[in-house]
Amino acid sequence: MKRLICCILIFIELFLLTGCKSNDVRKLEKSIEGIGTVSVEKEEKIINARSAFELLSKKDKAQVDNITGLVAAEAQLRICKVEQAIDQIGDLAELTYLDKDPVSEAQNIYASLNADEQKLVCNSDILDEAIAAIDSLAFDELENNVNIALMKGIIDGSFSGNQVTYTLDRANRNYIIEMVMNAEASSAYFLYPAIAENFIKSIESNCEKICKDFYESGTKAYDVDCTFIMDDCYGGEIFTIVNGEAQ
């Protein structure tokens, strides 16, 4: 008899624990169970389940037994979307600089994951290779850019008679334009500094504009700084300009 009473009490307790759940809670739990194996195609189901959960009262939220399943599904969905974005990059051997946007998009989505989620992205090595490939292609594009060629022509023409060299420092992402004044101009700079002062200021002002134009039209698109250095013929630096700003 006592055993029967205990069984009845346990049954009543279990009934109260489950029976007091609202229809919305039970419906949500079924929705979460129905997600199954997570894929990008399940995104709508996962979003709808989250929306339904947020609409519940605080009491009802506490009664959703499988909410951890929804949280796990959301995390897996984020991983799936990154993997899909990486797959859409295509064959790395056929990448061109025009493919930089899908690579950048995949990189941004990957960066939005936390460290644990990033470790679970199965094709992250492909993303790393794609980023490196695009970066290398960016430098190739920079060296062959039409605007760069035009600006170099303007610089060479503007400072005719002076030695001008162009160096692309890939490691430090810096396009360096170095102009060395000819001996005659340098002598005037040292022997008649008062006379040369305004002349040098004028050159510096022009170089600031040239450097800024050079940066805006060419190197900025590739996330590469433009540095303009002016030296005298004895190796002394007169001024340095970075991206149009005097240093």
Side-chain angles (χ1 to χ4, degrees):
M1 187 66 165
K2 289 182 178 179
R3 179 179 292 182
L4 178 60
I5 293 173
C6 288
C7 290
I8 292 172
L9 290 174
I10 292 172
F11 175 79
I12 292 172
E13 185 177 355
L14 291 173
F15 176 79
L16 290 173
L17 288 173
T18 57
C20 64
K21 289 184 179 181
S22 68
N23 288 332
D24 289 337
V25 171
R26 289 195 291 269
K27 184 178 179 182
L28 174 57
E29 288 178 336
K30 288 183 179 179
S31 296
I32 295 174
E33 290 174 4
I35 292 172
T37 302
V38 177
S39 64
V40 175
E41 288 71 24
K42 299 290 184 66
E43 181 174 14
E44 186 175 356
K45 284 187 176 182
I46 294 171
I47 291 174
N48 289 341
R50 171 56 66 180
S51 298
F53 177 79
E54 295 302 332
L55 290 174
L56 295 178
S57 66
K58 186 175 181 180
K59 179 182 176 181
D60 282 348
K61 285 180 179 178
Q63 294 179 335
V64 179
D65 292 334
N66 56 356
I67 185 61
T68 55
L70 176 58
V71 173
E74 290 172 325
Q76 186 59 44
L77 176 62
R78 290 192 291 271
I79 293 169
C80 289
K81 292 180 77 171
V82 172
E83 292 174 343
Q84 182 187 62
I86 295 173
D87 286 339
Q88 289 175 345
I89 291 172
D91 188 348
L92 297 183
E94 297 180 1
L95 279 184
T96 70
Y97 189 64
L98 295 177
D99 297 309
K100 64 182 183 299
D101 289 340
V103 173
S104 178
E105 181 181 355
Q107 185 178 10
N108 290 336
I109 300 174
Y110 179 80
S112 70
L113 302 180
N114 62 44
D116 291 332
E117 291 170 346
Q118 288 179 352
K119 293 176 183 177
L120 297 175
V121 177
C122 66
N123 52 359
S124 60
D125 56 329
I126 296 176
L127 176 60
D128 292 336
E129 292 177 28
I131 292 170
I134 290 296
D135 199 49
S136 179
L137 290 167
F139 284 116
D140 295 339
E141 285 286 317
L142 179 61
E143 290 184 307
N144 298 309
N145 187 278
V146 174
N147 288 333
I148 296 292
L150 290 173
M151 192 61 69
K152 285 171 68 174
I154 292 172
I155 292 172
D156 290 337
S158 299
F159 300 107
S160 178
N162 294 295
Q163 178 185 343
V164 184
T165 57
Y166 304 89
T167 305
L168 177 56
D169 181 355
R170 295 189 178 217
N172 296 306
R173 306 191 71 85
N174 196 3
Y175 200 101
I176 302 168
I177 308 163
E178 188 166 9
M179 183 179 73
V180 179
M181 295 178 68
N182 60 41
E184 187 176 320
S186 293
S187 297
Y189 177 72
F190 281 108
L191 296 175
Y192 308 102
I195 298 175
E197 183 178 2
N198 289 334
F199 174 65
I200 294 300
K201 284 184 177 180
S202 175
I203 292 178
E204 182 175 12
S205 177
N206 288 333
C207 287
E208 285 178 358
K209 184 179 185 310
I210 289 173
C211 185
K212 184 175 182 180
D213 290 344
F214 200 90
Y215 172 66
E216 293 289 342
S217 65
T219 62
K220 185 176 182 180
Y222 306 98
D223 191 27
V224 175
D225 288 336
C226 175
T227 300
F228 199 123
I229 303 171
M230 182 174 181
D231 297 323
D232 60 57
C233 65
Y234 307 109
E237 185 178 296
I238 300 175
F239 59 74
T240 296
I241 298 165
V242 178
N243 302 334
E245 299 293 331
Q247 302 301 294

